[in-house]
Amino acid sequence: MQRHHTRAATILSTLFMGLGQIYNRQFIKGFIFLIVEALSLTYFIEKLGRAFWGIVTLGTTSQHFEKVKGIAKLVKGDHSIFILIQSLITIIFFVLFLIAWYMNIRDAYKNGAARDAGQTPGTFKQSIRYILDYKFAQTFLILPSVGILLFTVMPIIFMVMLAFTNYSAPNHMPPAKLVDWVGFETFHNLVALKSWSHTFYGVLTWTIIWAILSTVTTYFGGMLVAMLISQQGVRFKGIWRAILIVPYAIPQMISLLLMRNLFNGQFGPINQYLKFFGLGGLPWLTDPFWAKVTVIVVNMWVGIPVSMLLIMGVLTTIPRDMYEAAEVDGATNYQKFRIITLPMVLFSTAPTLIAQFAGNINNFNAIFLLTGGSPVNGDYQYAGSTDLLVTWLYKLTLDQNKYNMASAIGIIIFLIVATFSIYNYRRTKSFQEEDMIQ
Amino acid sequence: MSGVKFKTRIRLTFSYLMLVILSVAALYPAIWILFSSLRPGKSLYSKTFIPETFTMEHYRALFYDNTLLFPTWWLNTFKIALFSMILGVFLTLLTSYAVSRFRFKARKTTMSGLLVLGMFPGFMSMIAIYLLLKEFDLLDTHMALIMVYAAGAPLGGTLIAKGFLDTIPRSLDEAARIDGASNFGIFWRIILPLSRPMITYMALTQFVGPWVDFIFARLILRTKEKWTVAVGMWDMVNSNQNTNFTTFAAGAVLISIPIMILFFFLQKLLVEGLTAGASKG
């Protein structure tokens, strides 16, 4: 039993990426691996040690004054946050490198084994062909993955780490002061410390109510409008659609700032009209209850066109013959809606609906631009009555510099939304029976 | 027979009534801001809905007032929106095609992963992205914004696009495969043309994104010349404490119009599902 080539190729590739491939006479692939390893090595020799040191200590020298020849001089200390992010980037690159290394060894092993079995390893062209035929999906996913890794995953890891530090104003702000790891202290403060927990539970409750109401109102509102327009006998469909898309076509930033003025309690046109009809104006944005009503209503105005467009798109894809068959059977309009339209629409839009729900939990614009979280709530820690967890997080980050608390809240938002959505998403038909439509 | 006709007439009358009410609600704020932009003075409030006199001074101010730089902001935003749209749609198509048509080991993990990551509050990673861009020396560049927007696109769009691609009958692919088409050939010749409504939808949302977003734009773009319209407009209202509302209204109208034109130009594509026809034929 000769396992000579397998062992040699594997060992060579373990020693240095690409050697095994070159040994297997796959020169182009081998050289690509060689270059990758050479470049990586020069990078890691310089950075890796410091990265591990940085992530453990978060810097050791704080900024201080030193006496040089009797004159006090400011000595720059370690900037914990920069150290943290640099270390993180290096370690992520290192993990990627390890994956490449593993793939290189496995490849050398496979081709070595093939040679032992008496086959000749494929040429470079054949390798490319193989990838295009059988690893096509993975190849397609590489580019998006890099983007997501860099701009989503890495920042998330970073923020999760911040939640376990004491990075906050006024006592732990680099570069003047160092930041330390504190474990679960921040989370503990958030749920157990009276001053924080009161705000937290209050804001959390409102966030959930808001997310449910805003999703349901816009989705079914959109469905209603879509069906109104697309029902048989309604003329000028194009014009109605064009008119009702208008709110979506106006940038949200503008329409929300605009609505803020429309609903202005003193001079806003809405109240002017109410007064004209002899009704008293309402404190739209200044009363906690009415402010909540206002954001829901305005969100409907902004959100219904999106659902309408989406559902109209789905309506056109429902085969006409299904309705024709139903009509032959004597189904009423309502029955057609309930048995054909609604299930088909729900099937196609379930992921969107969930995305909308998650989006609404994090609907920063709707709240921040419209009310800015106001009216002020005296009981709350840096939050107003209409503040969602996200806008609270934003305020804690940008206005108060409580980065650790903001990160902890972010993680909690994430856990709630993710648990709910994954569970729900897995139950939807489009996930379980996705091959239903053939 | 006449009973059915009567019922239909009632239904239609009621529908038209609803549509008229909804249309008024949809158009009112837009018209209000249009009139505000044409009203003399700077104030937010007016006695009448239609201004007594019309003026173009606010529009003129946008282009000739050197402190505003409105044309520069507009071009910046257009550039960013266009490039992030192209790149973002491309990336989203790649991921959605991969998860819709191929069955591979990490497929469900990929989908759940996208879903989960998409739910993370976007700007929670704000500080991290800021520091990352600083590290790569990309702060205050439009390139950075384009990258951030485009990289985020697959998170929001993949599952929607996948839902759409799933409705394109698999039999079309298989037929093409028998005719000798490669994976890439199928993607290019079959999936892309049939996905036109989907692509339009994604392109529009991707294009609109940068016009709306000011959180990241404000964070990344430091110099006034590099601002996007959103940052500029925000600053206009904020720095002047609403005293210059009419100029803001004029700017709002100018921003909204190109997006609206784009919408009405392309909306046919949005609703005409080409797939229904394809599966029948």
Side-chain angles (χ1 to χ4, degrees), chain A residues 5 21 34 61 74 100 106 128 137 144 169 210 222 246 260 264 270 277 283 324 351 371 426:
Chain A
H5 290 308
Q21 281 75 9
L34 262 180
T61 15
L74 187 69
R106 215 176 60 157
I128 298 280
W210 149 262
V246 166
R260 182 176 175 162
N264 184 298
I270 305 267
F277 287 112
E324 282 154 23
T371 66
R426 282 177 179 276

Side-chain angles (χ1 to χ4, degrees), chain A residues 127-137 139, chain B residues 102 183-184:
Chain A
S127 308
I128 298 280
R129 215 30 288 131
Y130 172 79
I131 288 174
L132 284 184
D133 283 342
Y134 297 102
K135 297 285 177 198
F136 195 71
T139 322
Chain B
F102 296 90
N183 281 326
F184 193 76

Side-chain angles (χ1 to χ4, degrees), chain A residues 104-333:
Chain A
N104 137 76
I105 294 171
R106 215 176 60 157
D107 179 72
Y109 173 84
K110 262 198 199 156
N111 282 306
R115 286 178 76 196
D116 283 329
Q119 299 156 350
T120 26
T123 62
F124 188 62
K125 250 190 195 154
Q126 280 169 326
S127 308
I128 298 280
R129 215 30 288 131
Y130 172 79
I131 288 174
L132 284 184
D133 283 342
Y134 297 102
K135 297 285 177 198
F136 195 71
Q138 287 89 330
T139 322
F140 253 38
L141 287 173
I142 288 176
L143 198 59
S145 308
V146 172
I148 291 169
L149 184 72
L150 213 59
F151 290 108
T152 309
V153 177
M154 208 281 302
I156 288 173
I157 299 175
F158 178 74
M159 290 306 279
V160 170
M161 288 170 122
L162 280 194
F164 296 95
T165 67
N166 55 10
Y167 181 25
S168 65
N171 293 325
H172 297 279
M173 290 296 287
K177 299 276 172 54
L178 288 174
V179 173
D180 305 302
W181 295 110
V182 293
F184 283 93
E185 197 184 289
T186 316
F187 290 92
H188 179 80
N189 289 346
L190 185 62
V191 294
L193 203 69
K194 193 81 185 35
S195 58
W196 284 103
S197 67
H198 175 67
T199 317
F200 174 64
Y201 292 122
V203 174
L204 178 69
T205 315
W206 161 238
T207 304
I208 290 169
I209 295 172
W210 149 262
I212 294 171
L213 283 181
S214 55
T215 310
V216 168
T217 51
T218 53
Y219 185 80
F220 287 100
M223 191 185 283
L224 183 83
V225 178
M227 297 199 41
L228 263 182
I229 296 178
S230 52
Q231 66 182 313
Q232 258 174 17
V234 169
R235 301 180 65 189
F236 314 118
K237 288 185 171 31
I239 294 173
W240 293 119
R241 193 172 54 209
I243 292 173
L244 292 167
I245 288 176
V246 166
Y248 184 40
I250 304 173
Q252 250 188 49
M253 190 208 64
I254 283 165
S255 55
L256 289 167
L257 287 173
L258 170 67
M259 286 293 190
R260 182 176 175 162
N261 296 312
L262 276 177
F263 281 99
N264 184 298
Q266 254 184 303
F267 307 100
I270 305 267
N271 269 357
Q272 281 181 14
Y273 295 135
L274 286 178
K275 275 177 198 147
F276 179 78
F277 287 112
L279 302 161
L282 281 168
W284 293 109
L285 297 169
T286 41
D287 175 77
F289 173 75
W290 283 107
K292 287 173 183 179
V293 173
T294 312
V295 286
I296 299 269
V297 170
V298 171
N299 185 65
M300 278 173 78
W301 190 82
V302 174
I304 282 180
V306 190
S307 302
M308 180 192 81
L309 273 185
L310 195 78
I311 290 168
M312 280 184 113
V314 177
L315 288 179
T316 58
T317 65
I318 301 177
R320 283 246 69 87
D321 41 9
M322 282 174 96
Y323 289 111
E324 282 154 23
E327 270 157 33
V328 170
D329 289 343
T332 63
N333 280 334

Side-chain angles (χ1 to χ4, degrees), chain B:
Chain B
M1 207 53 207
S2 67
V4 176
K5 257 190 188 161
F6 181 68
K7 258 184 166 172
T8 315
R9 189 170 285 171
I10 296 263
R11 179 169 59 87
L12 284 180
T13 315
F14 181 70
S15 302
Y16 282 125
L17 195 70
M18 284 281 285
L19 284 171
V20 169
I21 295 171
L22 287 169
S23 301
V24 171
L27 291 180
Y28 176 79
I31 296 172
W32 186 65
I33 202 160
L34 182 68
F35 282 148
S36 298
S37 73
L38 295 167
R39 207 173 52 219
K42 290 182 161 189
S43 150
L44 222 175
Y45 316 107
S46 70
K47 267 178 266 158
T48 52
F49 179 63
I50 300 170
E52 278 138 0
T53 47
F54 289 90
T55 170
M56 292 297 281
E57 66 173 303
H58 308 304
Y59 289 93
R60 218 166 291 133
L62 281 179
F63 288 96
Y64 296 107
D65 188 334
N66 288 331
T67 55
L68 280 176
L69 297 176
F70 185 79
T72 319
W73 297 337
W74 200 93
L75 283 177
N76 287 345
T77 320
F78 185 76
K79 187 177 86 181
I80 293 168
L82 187 69
F83 283 109
S84 66
M85 175 187 89
I86 294 169
L87 208 60
V89 168
F90 174 67
L91 292 178
T92 315
L93 275 174
L94 292 185
T95 48
S96 54
Y97 179 58
V99 294
S100 167
R101 279 304 193 267
F102 296 90
R103 298 292 175 264
F104 53 96
K105 242 198 282 173
R107 182 170 160 277
K108 290 221 163 173
T109 323
T110 310
M111 279 160 60
S112 311
L114 284 171
L115 182 76
V116 174
L117 291 175
M119 288 173 321
F120 229 90
F123 61 87
M124 206 186 112
S125 45
M126 207 165 60
I127 313 162
I129 288 180
Y130 177 81
L131 294 169
L132 183 79
L133 292 171
K134 193 167 184 168
E135 189 71 355
F136 290 126
D137 211 13
L138 282 170
L139 274 188
D140 204 19
T141 61
H142 293 154
M143 174 84 157
L145 269 182
I146 292 171
M147 275 161 59
V148 172
Y149 293 143
L155 291 177
T158 300
L159 294 175
I160 302 173
K162 180 206 166 276
F164 182 88
L165 292 184
D166 283 347
T167 63
I168 297 178
R170 202 69 66 77
S171 51
L172 290 177
D173 300 27
E174 277 149 20
R177 212 175 290 271
I178 290 167
D179 290 345
S182 64
N183 281 326
F184 193 76
I186 292 170
F187 176 67
W188 192 252
R189 316 271 290 270
I190 294 176
I191 304 292
L192 277 190
L194 285 179
S195 315
R196 249 174 51 203
M198 191 67 234
I199 294 174
T200 313
Y201 174 75
M202 287 193 309
L204 282 181
T205 46
Q206 270 296 297
F207 189 81
V208 172
W211 293 86
V212 181
D213 178 68
F214 75 103
I215 307 169
F216 272 114
R218 197 160 63 124
L219 182 80
I220 291 169
L221 304 172
R222 297 281 139 158
T223 39
K224 207 171 176 179
E225 290 77 28
K226 297 219 167 153
W227 278 357
T228 60
V229 157
V231 185
M233 297 287 286
W234 177 254
D235 181 72
M236 217 151 110
V237 172
N238 252 28
S239 62
N240 297 333
Q241 273 95 40
N242 285 2
T243 47
N244 214 351
F245 181 75
T246 42
T247 311
F248 168 82
V253 170
L254 287 187
I255 294 167
S256 307
I257 281 174
I259 297 185
M260 282 166 102
I261 290 173
L262 196 72
F263 254 87
F264 296 127
F265 191 59
L266 294 172
Q267 62 154 330
K268 245 189 166 171
L269 288 174
L270 285 169
V271 270
E272 273 173 10
L274 287 167
T275 44
S279 116
K280 270 188 187 164

